[in-house]
Amino acid sequence: MPGRVSTRSTRTSAASTAAVSRKPSKQNISSRASNVSRISSPTFTIPEESPSTALRIQICAIFADAQRTTAGHRKLVINLRKIQEACCYEPSKPGRHGGADIGEERFNDEVGRCVLRVMGVKKSESVGDRVVRFLGLFLKHAAEKDHSLVSGTDDDETGVFPETPSIRLTSHILSLLLPLLASKEKTVRYRSTQLTSHIINSLDSIDDDIFQLLRLGLLKRIKDKESMVRVQAVLGLGRLAGNEAEEDQDNQDSDDEDAGGLLERLLEVLQNDPSADVRRSLLLNLPLTPATLPFLLERARDLDPATRRALYSRLLPALGDFRHLSLSMREKLLRWGLRDRDENVRKAAGKLFRERWIEDCAGTRALTEGGAVGETPAPNFDALLELLERIDILNSGVEDGVALEAMEGFWEGRPDYCEAVTFDDAFWDALTPESVFMARSFNDFCRKDGEGKMEALVEEKMPEVTKSAFFLQKYTNDLVESLRRAAEQGETADEDETVEQEFLVEQLLHIAQTLDYTDEVGRRKMFALLRETLAIADLPEEVTRLVIDVLRGVCGSEAAGERDFCGVVLEAVAEVHDNIIADSTQQEENEDESFHSAKSEVSNNSTPTKAKPSKPFKNGEGPTEEDEDEDKAIREIMVNMKCLHIAQCMLQNVEGNLQQNIHLVTMLNNLVVPAVRSHEAPIRERGLGLAEENLSLFLHCFNKGHDALQISSLHILSDILTTHPSLLSPTNAPNTLEKPLHKLFAKALKSSSPPGVQTAACTSLCKLLLTSILTSHDLLKTLVLAYFSPQTDNVAVKQCLTYFLPVYCHSRRENMASMGSVLVSVVGRLVSMSEEAEGDEEEMVGWGVIVGQLIEWTDGRRVVDIGGPSGGTSGGGTDKRGEECMIHVDVGIEVLERVGASGCLKEEKKILISLLSKLHFPSSVTGLSLSSIEKLHSLLDRLDFAIAQKIWSDATSRNALNKISTALGKVVGERRVDATTVGEEKTVLDEGKTVVAGEGETKIEDGDGVAKGEEDTVMTLAREESLLDQLLEEEEEEEL
């Protein structure tokens, strides 16, 4: 499709530029009419041919050339325009253009005749697209020429638009197309809608008499069953919606209910149309207004990768300055794009960030400095700092933020910025959050270069270790001072300054993690600084963690370095403990002194000047024993939380044997064990994360703890069992943990459990089952019931199970066999749950869906590693294609056992027989093992017994059982011909008859019957289908 007449950013109303018709009712493309008529649904037929004329030959020759290639369209448009001018403006001359046959009406009829021939051309034929493009180009060219001929007349001043030949030709073509929009043939609907939309997008004005008919016809096509028709309909309606959006202010008082409904209907299509092509076409053709922008930007989460890519590569660059977007929308677009699962979308988002958004900032600065905005700007680091500020670097620059990913792509795609960046002393002396993040991202990008090309560059531009230590010390002191001022000011403190200082220190520590500490002088300086910093009691937790990470690298990776690291950290823990206790004791002394001083001053009738206590006393006079106990408890919590956090960060950096490290044993006895036994919930949660010695401890904490402690216990149990699966399989002692674990997960997965506990239990259990650490069938059954249960309203659990169940079953044959073993009991429980849920708002999904999923999860043909170490079969001369179906054979045996039981409900029996009819059994016994053949015999015997007992509840179940029996009889019969047992003899008397000699009895069997003898009697040959079986099978096919 050709582009629009004007761009998005400079779109103007067509009414101000179009010159159209002589009637006052003639108006631009955004006008409306009050009279709307219905469009019929004719069957497309080519009209009868009239005698050929010279004019027809000329026009057909032009259209024939236009359908071959688009290269000569411009020349052909000029030639067709000459013929139109000869027919419309010049007097008829015999011998030229057909003599008396020429004329405007005749010309319009011949062009319309060619247009009708295009309607039957299929979408796959490119000739149709070329003709449509040519016709749109001609109508646009003819309208421009006619407008230039009538411009400057008095009619322009009176506001009455003259009617031109091109307007009349357009009206004639559209009047031909209107009835075809509702044709029964999809090709005709497609071509007519395509040409109509192309004309709408090519011209500036349309006759008012057919405007509403076009609008109504295209609105009906947006609900067409063919997506290709809907795509063309929204292309035309997008242009109409753009003009209607400009006139909304003039039509607010209109009584027409449909006056402003077009845009809303298109937005609904944008959100709900199942075709990605339709959504993408609307995305690129809807007008960019404040009302439509949120709907357009949410296509960044569209299911179709091409639609998401179109948003980042076409819509957002055409949007203009990105700073007009809100801060949250910028961050979302950047995060969604850079973390998209499609590589092309990620590339488009990265290009948008490093080219368009940086140019928006650099272009504005170039304009203010007198430069040319259109030129590609040179590296401008002020613009880069502004760009980082615009994406809120304080929030997006954290570990899980998107700014680091965006800057990594920026440095990779803009090598000019890499070469031009400089980090001198003046830069480091006046750091801002944006500048320090720029330095950190550049350092990380160069250090991650696998080929080592950027190592020399980063060594040249970044400061050495000693200088980095001085800069880190400077900004750490600023952070401590800021924290001290914030503590003194209390609620009136400015948190922004503290947050910025904390961010600066964090980024400097990230840079320090990548430095080379082979320089002994610099290493000692950094070591002393980090040890001193770690002892600061008020240091934020994230800064503390980064300090410990850097300290681990400074100490060295060998065992001696690890011991030194643990010793230094534990010394810091003791120092932090002493500092907090000392500060609290000093504060108590100051409060007591201030209180006594205040009493003395009040007794002397003087104005009290005591210091403000950190907390108001309850009685208004002085600290009571209750106040002192509360303050003491708070101080203990602060001390333990800080020390436990330091210990946790240290353990995350330890790789050696924990039991052989004396420092860690000391920490366990003096810090971790008391914390786990504490009655304060926060201390118990943090101490629990460090006590990895006894699984029974976590089981106890789950049973007795609150929600947060239960979630922590579940995560820790999952991590420990994943890392040490041998804990559940002791070699010498009996397993005492498996049963409590099963009870724990069963309790956590109940519908009455908190959502967070449910999600944590489901995720942990899925990991353990998928890795075969746990193999409990009861827990698997619990997960399947939770997946299908209408009482499970936890979306996170549903999403987790949606991924887990098919992966679990299709990954290993043993897993699929476990699912098959619980299938029958799952169906029985679901039937009971379905009866209990009758009348409730939340109903269970249909049984067809449930049965289909259960069959797919137990279909051995879908196992990924068939024939591998853990799945499939090998050796023994067995056929894998037949062995694949043995899981369904086992399921069939269990189904028949359940159906024949006395406690099986009628509804359950019906569902199980339906499930049985959909199972996949071996098509031949060739290559099957003896145990598999015995299972098939057992299945067929149970099936014959079920038919003899008439266990079915309806005719459908009866037919299904008979059909399965017939099919299995054929399969098993192939083996029974060759099967012999001790003491048996066979003699073939005739075709289809066999004499079977058993113990004391002889029977003659034919192919249609089955002789029931003793257990050691060989069963008959393959049964031929009887007339009854054929009738039953035909009846089943008719029902399906």
Side-chain angles (χ1 to χ4, degrees), residues 937 972-990 993-998 1001-1005 1016-1022:
H937 288 177
V972 176
E974 297 176 8
R975 185 72 179 181
R976 288 176 178 173
V977 172
D978 301 325
T980 59
T981 59
V982 179
E984 295 179 345
E985 296 179 357
K986 276 189 172 185
T987 303
V988 178
L989 298 177
D990 195 1
K993 295 185 179 181
T994 304
V995 175
V996 180
E1001 99 180 281
T1002 301
K1003 297 185 179 181
I1004 298 179
E1005 304 170 342
D1016 58 353
T1017 302
V1018 179
M1019 301 187 72
T1020 63
L1021 295 167

Side-chain angles (χ1 to χ4, degrees), residues 232-366:
Q232 300 301 325
V234 299
L235 289 176
L237 290 174
R239 177 70 185 278
L240 300 181
N243 288 276
E244 284 193 358
E246 295 175 358
E247 296 189 351
D248 280 345
Q249 298 296 331
D250 300 333
N251 295 309
Q252 287 181 351
D253 298 332
S254 175
D255 295 333
D256 187 4
E257 295 181 357
D258 200 39
L262 175 58
L263 190 59
E264 287 76 8
R265 296 181 68 174
L266 290 180
L267 292 176
E268 181 182 359
V269 172
L270 177 65
Q271 290 181 307
N272 303 315
D273 196 282
S275 173
D277 295 332
V278 176
R279 301 194 302 271
R280 185 163 57 253
S281 299
L282 269 178
L283 174 70
L284 300 175
N285 288 276
L286 278 178
L288 290 173
T289 63
T292 61
L293 189 58
F295 296 93
L296 296 174
L297 296 181
E298 74 178 7
R299 289 302 95 199
R301 307 299 287 169
D302 195 276
L303 294 176
D304 179 53
T307 303
R308 302 195 301 270
R309 184 172 66 251
L311 174 73
Y312 286 98
S313 61
R314 299 180 61 182
L315 178 66
L316 288 178
L319 185 60
D321 197 332
F322 79 99
R323 290 171 289 188
H324 295 156
L325 299 174
S326 64
L327 181 60
S328 61
M329 184 54 68
R330 294 176 215 155
E331 192 273 336
K332 286 181 181 179
L333 288 174
L334 202 58
R335 172 162 46 87
W336 291 341
L338 294 177
R339 295 178 180 176
D340 195 276
R341 58 181 174 269
D342 187 81
E343 183 180 2
N344 294 324
V345 179
R346 295 196 298 270
K347 289 180 179 178
K351 185 177 181 181
L352 176 73
F353 177 79
R354 67 175 178 264
E355 293 184 5
R356 284 307 303 258
W357 286 12
I358 187 66
E359 288 179 8
D360 289 339
C361 298
T364 304
R365 292 183 175 276

